[in-house]
């Protein structure tokens, strides 16, 4: 059985750092598709990150609210691209949030999450996990998710 169709954002958008697509698209039924979005960060296409200030002495200031908002925007961009605009982040049915500082970042991440889903009845199922690290020390948060979109 095929593992679906790969979706890649166009050049100029942040690309995966290894051999994986931004999302995989699978037919759910004749009128809908399931979009599995790879773990997404706040990285921009130019290799910089939202929510990161790099100081002259090499230290970093990281902002969980800015990073979380950027991750959610990036997920929305991926879903819109994978569905030719037929879907959006509002179609997410399940999400896993990875935080490098669960105690220090959980509230700020939730504040940005709640801006996208202000009504808990419309929000996707979610698991939040504290992790030791993410692929880059600039990252506080990464989210992977699944969306179901009408075709």
């Amino acid at each position: 059985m095929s593992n679906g169709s790969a979706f890649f954002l166009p050049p100029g958008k942040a690309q995966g750092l290894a051999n994986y697509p931004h999302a995989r698209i699978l037919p759910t039924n004749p009128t809908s598709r399931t979009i599995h979005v790879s773990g997404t960060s706040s990285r921009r296409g130019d290799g910089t990150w939202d929510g990161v200030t790099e100081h002259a002495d090499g230290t970093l200031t990281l902002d969980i609210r800015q990073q979380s908002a950027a991750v959610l925007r990036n997920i929305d961009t991926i879903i819109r691209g994978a569905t030719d605009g037929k879907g959006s982040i509002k179609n997410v049915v399940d999400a896993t949030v990875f935080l490098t500082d669960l105690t220090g970042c959980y509230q700020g991440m939730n504040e940005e999450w709640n801006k996208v889903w202000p009504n808990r009845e419309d929000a996707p199922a979610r698991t939040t996990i504290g992790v030791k690290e993410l692929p880059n020390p600039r990252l506080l948060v990464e989210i992977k998710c699944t969306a179901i979109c009408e075709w």
Side-chain angles (χ1 to χ4, degrees):
M1 178 180 169
S2 170
N3 67 348
S5 302
F7 171 76
F8 297 92
L9 287 172
K13 298 287 187 181
Q15 300 298 310
L17 300 176
N19 290 334
Y20 60 86
H22 289 94
R24 294 217 69 84
I25 306 165
L26 297 160
T28 306
N29 61 48
T31 61
S32 67
R33 302 290 182 270
T34 301
I35 315 299
H36 295 274
V37 179
S38 294
T40 302
S41 74
S42 65
R43 193 163 49 91
R44 302 178 188 125
D46 65 2
T48 62
W49 297 263
D50 278 300
V52 177
T53 303
E54 299 195 34
H55 304 286
D57 65 359
T59 60
L60 303 171
T61 300
L62 307 177
D63 186 304
I64 187 58
R65 287 168 185 81
Q66 289 178 13
Q67 284 196 23
S68 297
V71 169
L72 295 167
R73 280 192 311 272
N74 290 345
I75 289 170
D76 187 59
T77 298
I78 291 167
I79 294 170
R80 287 178 188 278
T83 63
D84 295 325
K86 295 177 179 89
S88 74
I89 197 164
K90 299 293 186 172
N91 295 100
V92 171
V93 296
D94 185 54
T96 304
V97 179
F98 303 93
L99 294 173
T100 59
D101 177 5
L102 193 58
T103 303
C105 292
Y106 189 75
Q107 181 179 342
M109 181 276 299
N110 271 334
E111 288 172 9
E112 296 305 318
W113 179 275
N114 292 340
K115 289 177 184 177
V116 175
W117 291 284
N119 182 345
R120 70 184 333 169
E121 287 80 20
D122 297 329
R126 187 183 93 187
T127 300
T128 304
I129 301 169
V131 297
K132 180 181 174 191
E133 59 188 345
L134 290 167
N136 189 293
R138 293 167 183 85
L139 301 178
L140 296 170
V141 59
E142 182 174 289
I143 300 174
K144 73 179 301 302
C145 62
T146 302
I148 298 178
C149 302
E150 296 298 317
W151 223 253

